Amino acid sequence: DAGITQSPRHKVTETGTPVTLRCHQTENHRYMYWYRQDPGHGLRLIHYSYGVKDTDKGEVSDGYSVSRSKTEDFLLTLESATSSQTSVYFCAISESGKSYEQYFGPGTRLTVT
Amino acid sequence: TQLLEQSPQFLSIQEGENLTVYCNSSSVFSSLQWYRQEPGEGPVLLVTVVTGGEVKKLKRLTFQFGDARKDSSLHITAAQPGDTGLYLCAGLNSGNTPLVFGKGTRLSVIA
């Protein structure tokens, strides 16, 4: 299995508070992604990174920011959490070549009350 | 926006039955991937198909990429309860753009 960890695995927070989710990889892959998964919507891309300090928006980026200061870490921040951001968040990694096959972390279940 | 439509959305079958799930698009993809996701876990890559008309087999699972590289199918022979999960297809357009994911087919195999 690819070495990807996410922390925390579960979090409950209140509306309006900032939240940061961490993704850590030991595979030295160039690309990293943040998705959210909700019933009826499937996996939706929030942001992705194609290198250190190089990031781009996905289809549902509003309300989220990311940072990547090291190859191995990709942080997702909810500046002011809202109930609509209650979801399961997955991090994934890939490398160029091999059709950019993605390897996913175990997920973080976030509940915003 | 490129879309991948998966059908059916839900499928519940008895152990030992065969099934096919589909992944369709109006767009051409350079490759297509299938993932399986079990409850409480992240998706896991099953296979990648890259050539139009390609067929790949993984034990009881057979994957096919359409000749025009716009669609794909996954056929499971003699389904087992361990096949239960969410099956996702994902298409790659050009080299450095993110994968496009379908919404998935949720399969339940009843013993």
Side-chain angles (χ1 to χ4, degrees), chain A residues 9 31 33 35 37 40-43 45 48 90 99-106, chain B residues 31 33 35 37 40-43 45 48 50 86 88 92 95-96 98-99 101 103:
Chain A
R9 294 293 315 279
Y31 296 87
Y33 311 83
Y35 293 91
Q37 188 174 39
H41 292 279
L43 277 170
L45 182 66
Y48 66 102
F90 287 99
S99 298
Y100 294 83
E101 296 168 345
Q102 293 191 7
Y103 300 92
F104 285 82
Chain B
S31 66
Q33 300 165 19
Y35 295 78
Q37 184 179 19
E41 299 181 6
L45 179 69
T48 300
V50 297
L86 178 67
L88 297 161
L92 180 67
N96 61 355
L99 293 176
F101 277 87
K103 292 183 179 181

Side-chain angles (χ1 to χ4, degrees), chain B residues 6-78:
Chain B
Q6 290 192 244
S7 61
Q9 282 188 280
F10 302 95
L11 187 57
S12 182
I13 62 171
Q14 295 291 324
E15 181 177 4
E17 293 184 358
N18 301 331
L19 67 114
T20 302
V21 298
Y22 300 92
C23 175
N24 296 299
S25 177
S26 58
S27 302
V28 175
F29 291 97
S30 60
S31 66
L32 200 135
Q33 300 165 19
W34 285 92
Y35 295 78
R36 180 169 65 208
Q37 184 179 19
E38 299 187 16
E41 299 181 6
V44 175
L45 179 69
L46 294 174
V47 77
T48 300
V49 285
V50 297
T51 305
E54 181 177 4
V55 177
K56 280 192 173 180
K57 292 190 175 183
L58 187 66
K59 297 184 180 178
R60 295 176 293 99
L61 278 60
T62 301
F63 305 84
Q64 184 163 8
F65 201 11
D67 291 340
R69 291 186 287 124
K70 293 183 178 181
D71 55 84
S72 181
S73 64
L74 159 59
H75 182 80
I76 301 179
T77 304

Side-chain angles (χ1 to χ4, degrees), chain A residues 21-93:
Chain A
L21 308 183
R22 180 182 184 237
C23 177
H24 178 77
Q25 62 147 329
T26 57
E27 304 297 318
N28 201 36
H29 281 16
R30 178 182 175 188
Y31 296 87
M32 298 185 76
Y33 311 83
W34 277 107
Y35 293 91
R36 59 179 291 175
Q37 188 174 39
D38 306 286
H41 292 279
L43 277 170
R44 292 184 291 176
L45 182 66
I46 305 172
H47 282 279
Y48 66 102
S49 170
Y50 46 95
V52 173
K53 298 185 179 179
D54 291 324
T55 65
D56 207 348
K57 296 179 179 180
E59 65 176 299
V60 289
S61 60
D62 288 349
Y64 301 95
S65 62
V66 290
S67 66
R68 191 169 179 201
S69 59
K70 299 185 291 185
T71 298
E72 57 265 36
D73 290 325
F74 193 31
L75 304 180
L76 176 70
T77 298
L78 291 65
E79 300 291 347
S80 178
T82 67
S83 58
S84 65
Q85 293 176 313
T86 292
S87 187
V88 180
Y89 291 85
F90 287 99
C91 173
I93 64 174

Side-chain angles (χ1 to χ4, degrees), chain B residues 15 36 38 60 76 79-85 87 107 109-111:
Chain B
E15 181 177 4
R36 180 169 65 208
E38 299 187 16
R60 295 176 293 99
I76 301 179
Q80 299 178 359
D83 296 326
T84 293
Y87 289 82
L107 171 66
V109 182
I110 302 165

